[in-house]
Amino acid sequence: GAVVSQHPSWVICKSGTSVKIECRSLDFQATTMFWYRQFPKQSLMLMATSNEGSKATYEQGVEKDKFLINHASLTLSTLTVTSAHPEDSSFYICSAKSGANVLTFGAGSRLTVL
Amino acid sequence: GQNIDQPTEMTATEGAIVQINCTYQTSGFNGLFWYQQHAGEAPTFLSYNVLDGLEEKGRFSSFLSRSKGYSYLLLKELQMKDSASYLCAVDSGAGSYQLTFGKGTKLSVIP
């Protein structure tokens, strides 16, 4: 089946630094990918829709200058958390449409900002 | 706004049947998804309903009533490995897959 690879799985960084998370569709092309954030015991919250070759569209309340999204190819989208702070610590998950009515999710990236 | 409600937790016995309900109030509707999520892992797709009725897939079935804004996920012959969170999600856009998720129902299967 379709596979979405997300890297890194875990990352710990110091406050004020930037962290990049990659999301790759391994055996299919994804013109659109989605980025979510999930806090403990909370639901997945859609942050932004990443479109290949164009600017991402952000959900209300998500700072586009803080969460930079780049979708430079049909198989890769990246999310960069800039100037990370402890409140940005969360589980970040990407997904891509891999078939009719099917979204395939990456395994997630757990970010801890010290 | 978008609102999706599902029970926070449920407990069921191995071998039994459990039904997880989901009610939704969204600005639009283009399908309802159910996902399974084990702790610390990514959600995995279980089912998709866009028309009223029951969709059966092995031990899992999902039902939708659009007029009532209601869906349920039915799990039969429960196994210990079914212990997980089950997420109800609605595509309220124009088939854009910009999903709104419920908070999930944590199911514990006991011997």
Side-chain angles (χ1 to χ4, degrees):
Chain A
V3 176
V4 172
S5 173
Q6 195 170 337
H7 177 81
S9 301
W10 295 81
V11 58
I12 300 173
C13 69
K14 292 182 178 180
S15 185
T17 60
S18 295
V19 173
K20 180 186 285 188
I21 301 170
E22 293 186 349
C23 180
R24 293 180 185 274
S25 57
L26 295 188
D27 48 3
F28 65 98
Q29 294 183 331
T31 55
T32 302
M33 292 184 175
F34 303 93
W35 287 96
Y36 308 82
R37 182 167 51 184
Q38 185 177 33
F39 292 106
K41 298 185 179 181
Q42 299 293 317
S43 64
L44 277 76
M45 296 296 295
L46 180 65
M47 299 175 65
T49 302
S50 171
N51 304 297
E52 186 268 335
S54 64
K55 291 183 179 180
T57 54
Y58 291 81
E59 296 301 300
Q60 192 171 10
V62 178
E63 301 174 58
K64 62 180 182 181
D65 294 331
K66 181 172 183 61
F67 298 99
L68 301 179
I69 291 173
N70 184 280
H71 195 153
S73 78
L74 287 171
T75 59
L76 174 64
S77 176
T78 60
L79 169 69
T80 301
V81 183
T82 63
S83 187
H85 288 93
E87 57 265 30
D88 298 323
S89 298
S90 187
F91 194 49
Y92 292 86
I93 307 177
C94 68
S95 72
K97 183 182 176 185
S98 55
N101 306 318
V102 178
L103 278 180
T104 297
F105 285 79
S109 300
R110 188 165 300 283
L111 170 64
T112 301
V113 184
L114 302 177
Chain B
Q2 321 285 41
N3 190 45
I4 299 179
D5 287 318
Q6 46 182 135
T8 304
E9 295 184 65
M10 297 182 72
T11 300
T13 306
E14 191 176 14
I17 300 173
V18 70
Q19 177 174 312
I20 302 174
N21 296 324
C22 171
T23 57
Y24 62 90
Q25 294 171 308
T26 56
S27 55
F29 182 82
N30 275 282
L32 185 144
F33 297 78
W34 283 96
Y35 287 88
Q36 180 191 62
Q37 186 180 27
H38 286 97
E41 298 181 9
T44 54
F45 172 80
L46 291 178
S47 68
Y48 171 75
N49 294 69
V50 67
L51 299 176
D52 290 351
L54 186 69
E55 294 280 343
E56 298 186 76
K57 191 183 292 185
R59 293 191 298 116
F60 293 5
S61 302
S62 57
F63 171 83
L64 175 67
S65 169
R66 289 172 296 171
S67 62
K68 296 181 179 178
Y70 167 70
S71 173
Y72 67 72
L73 179 70
L74 192 71
L75 292 77
K76 304 176 184 176
E77 301 170 15
L78 280 174
Q79 302 175 9
M80 299 299 290
K81 66 178 183 179
D82 296 329
S83 294
S85 285
Y86 291 85
L87 308 176
C88 173
V90 173
D91 180 353
S92 55
S96 63
Y97 293 85
Q98 293 171 313
L99 304 185
T100 300
F101 283 83
K103 290 187 177 180
T105 299
K106 184 178 179 181
L107 174 66
S108 298
V109 180
I110 58 176

